[in-house]
Amino acid sequence: MKAKSIKGRSSDEIKAALNQCIGDNFKPTLAFVFLSVSQDRKTICDYLDQAGIAIFGSTTNGEFIDEETEGGAAAILLLDMKKEYFKIHSAEFQHNNYRSTSKSIAEKAQKEFGKVAFLMAVSNAATDGEEVLLGLQEIAGEQVNAFGGAAGDDLAFSKTWAFTNGWESDHGIVCLALDEEKVSVSGIATCGWKAMGTEKTVTKSEGNHVFTIDNEPALDITTKYGGLENITPENKDVLLELAANFPLQLQREKGDPVMRPGLVVDWSDHSFYTSGSVPQGSKIRFSLPPDWDVMEKVVKGVQNLKDTEMPEADALVVFSCAGRVLSFGPMMNAEIEGVKQVWNVPMIGMFSYAELGRMAGGNLEMHNLTTCCVALKEK
C-alpha cells in the first residue's frame, strides 16, 4: 500500500498538492482529512470526492503531517488501499444514543469483514467516548482494535465536526472499518504524565462530576497538591493550568492510569467536571507538571509497538490531545518528530479534545492529555 501526506492553508493549495501527487503510479482510494474549522471543508471534500476518494474527516485543534505542527490548515493522508479492504460508516447521535449507534456500526462491519478494526472520529464535546467504545466491544469483542479522537475547533469550545463524502455532523461519528485479514492495524495510547503523592479515594462523584477526594472538595485538594494560588472564578489561568498540567490519574486494575483533567469548575462547592467518568470509590493520584520525560515515554511506547507488534508500516495516524500543546508549546514538535522517525513513513496527525484507544496492557478507554498512534500496513 502506498501512502502520501499533503497539507495546505487553503483549498487551492490542497487542490494543487492533490493534483501533483495523483498519477499513473498512485491512485488513492482513501483519505484521512484533518483540518481547521476555518478551512473550506466542503470544497476540499468535493475535490476528493470527484477523484473517487473515500473520506475519513475531522476538524481539529491543530494538524500535522510531519514534525511541524500547523494551525488553521488542512492535512491529508492519501492511501491506495484496495477498496474491498475498508468501509466508512457515519451516523448522527440521536438522544445521546452513543452505545447503540456504535453497536449498530459494529454489526454492519462484522457482516462485511470477519475480523474488523475501527478508526473513528466523534464530534461534540459532550459525546461520551466510553459509551461509543463499549458499543463496539459488545459486538466485536473486548480485544477489538479501536482507536480515534474527538474532533476539535481550534480550541474555541464551540462546534466540532466529523465528516465523510456528502455527510457531516456536529454530533456524530465517522468510523473507518478495516478488514484485519487484509490490513494490519496496531496502535497504542500513551500519556507519560508522572504521578505524585499517595493514592487518594474519590469519596463523592456522579459520572464525570467529582465532588470530593478524601472528603475534601476536588478543586481544593488538587490545587493544593499543584501548588496553585489565587483560586477564584476570575483567574482564568488557574483553570487552564489545572486542565493542562494537573490531571487526576485514575488508577486501573490493569494497564496504565487514565488521565482525567478537571475542565469545568462548580464554584458553589469547589467540585469539578472531568473529561470522562470517575467512579465514586475509585483511586486516583495527582500529577507532576510535565517535562521532557513525558514526551520520551510516548516515543518509547511507539518504538516498543514497532519492536513487538508492527516491524513495518505503510502509514501512521496520530490522535494527540490539544492539552499537550498547551503544556509543551513548541517542544511538542520534538515528540511528533520522534514518533515519525520510528517507522519513517507518511504520517498524519490531529490535536483532539479526547483520545480513544488502548494503553499497553489496559482496556479500551477514552483518554485526555494522551497521544494515540495507529500504524497501518496492507498485507
Side-chain angles (χ1 to χ4, degrees):
M1 178 175 67
K2 293 181 181 178
K4 293 185 179 181
S5 301
I6 62 174
K7 64 180 178 181
R9 302 198 69 83
S10 70
S11 55
D12 287 342
E13 286 186 16
I14 290 296
K15 183 179 182 180
L18 187 62
N19 290 337
Q20 186 174 358
C21 73
I22 294 179
D24 293 336
N25 295 323
F26 185 61
K27 295 181 178 179
T29 57
L30 173 63
F32 289 88
V33 182
F34 295 158
L35 49 70
S36 164
V37 287
S38 66
Q39 286 290 320
D40 185 353
R41 63 182 175 274
K42 182 181 184 304
T43 297
I44 291 172
C45 286
D46 283 346
Y47 292 150
L48 295 164
D49 198 49
Q50 290 163 14
I53 301 171
I55 299 166
F56 174 99
S58 175
T59 56
T60 74
N61 298 308
E63 52 287 324
F64 54 89
I65 64 170
D66 46 37
E67 67 274 10
E68 293 296 326
T69 61
E70 299 282 350
I76 299 177
L77 176 67
L78 299 164
L79 305 171
D80 67 352
M81 188 185 297
K82 291 183 179 179
K83 291 185 176 181
E84 59 268 31
Y85 293 176
F86 71 89
K87 178 78 172 180
I88 292 181
H89 299 272
S90 59
E92 191 94 11
F93 293 125
Q94 303 290 342
H95 308 296
N96 299 333
N97 60 339
Y98 307 117
R99 189 186 298 208
S100 61
T101 298
S102 62
K103 181 179 175 181
S104 176
I105 288 173
E107 288 171 341
K108 294 175 184 176
Q110 281 225 313
K111 291 178 182 177
E112 296 157 353
F113 309 125
K115 186 180 180 185
V116 62
F118 301 96
L119 271 71
M120 72 207 86
V122 297
S123 57
N124 194 298
T127 293
D128 190 334
E130 292 182 339
E131 284 291 294
V132 171
L133 292 171
L134 287 170
L136 296 179
Q137 289 182 102
E138 192 171 333
I139 301 301
E142 289 188 2
Q143 296 307 309
V144 61
N145 266 332
F147 301 94
D153 58 0
D154 296 333
L155 295 173
F157 295 95
S158 177
K159 187 171 286 191
T160 66
W161 299 89
F163 55 91
T164 185
N165 306 67
W167 178 92
E168 68 175 19
S169 173
D170 63 350
H171 194 201
I173 179 173
V174 58
C175 185
L176 172 66
L178 293 163
D179 182 354
E180 281 201 281
E181 299 294 339
K182 304 296 184 182
V183 181
S184 295
V185 181
S186 289
I188 187 171
T190 313
C191 127
W193 251 250
K194 295 178 182 178
M196 66 177 175
T198 58
E199 278 191 351
K200 308 294 181 186
T201 302
V202 177
T203 42
K204 183 180 180 182
S205 68
E206 295 177 2
N208 68 333
H209 191 178
V210 183
F211 294 93
T212 61
I213 299 169
D214 278 1
N215 295 313
E216 288 189 54
L219 178 65
D220 296 350
I221 190 171
T222 305
T223 53
K224 179 176 69 177
Y225 266 82
L228 302 180
E229 299 178 348
N230 190 20
I231 314 301
T232 66
E234 293 73 31
N235 185 3
K236 304 301 181 185
D237 290 341
V238 149
L239 297 181
L240 188 61
E241 186 83 357
L242 183 71
N245 293 331
F246 297 101
L248 303 181
Q249 298 197 14
L250 179 59
Q251 306 299 298
R252 296 301 200 196
E253 289 184 5
K254 64 177 184 177
D256 292 340
V258 180
M259 300 299 105
R260 289 290 186 258
L263 300 178
V264 178
V265 170
D266 184 339
W267 291 100
S268 67
D269 58 6
H270 281 209
S271 63
F272 57 61
Y273 293 83
T274 61
S275 60
S277 62
V278 179
Q280 186 165 302
S282 58
K283 302 295 183 180
I284 63 96
R285 293 180 70 187
F286 296 110
S287 297
L288 287 167
D291 56 20
W292 279 101
D293 288 347
V294 172
M295 291 184 285
E296 290 176 359
K297 185 174 180 180
V298 167
V299 176
K300 287 179 181 177
V302 176
Q303 182 65 54
N304 185 63
L305 184 70
K306 177 184 178 182
D307 294 341
T308 59
E309 293 185 25
M310 195 82 158
E312 296 181 352
D314 294 327
L316 186 65
V317 182
V318 180
F319 303 91
S320 187
C321 185
R324 297 180 76 86
V325 180
L326 296 175
S327 297
F328 297 133
M331 291 193 306
M332 188 67 197
N333 291 351
E335 177 176 299
I336 296 169
E337 183 178 9
V339 169
K340 164 84 172 180
Q341 289 176 351
V342 172
W343 285 281
N344 198 25
V345 295
M347 175 180 76
I348 189 172
M350 65 174 276
F351 293 113
S352 51
Y353 277 139
E355 300 72 55
L356 307 171
R358 191 189 308 276
M359 286 186 168
N363 299 318
L364 277 181
E365 304 266 11
M366 184 176 76
H367 305 275
N368 281 95
L369 299 170
T370 294
T371 295
C372 182
C373 299
V374 189
L376 305 173
K377 182 172 178 57
E378 193 170 289
K379 295 180 180 179

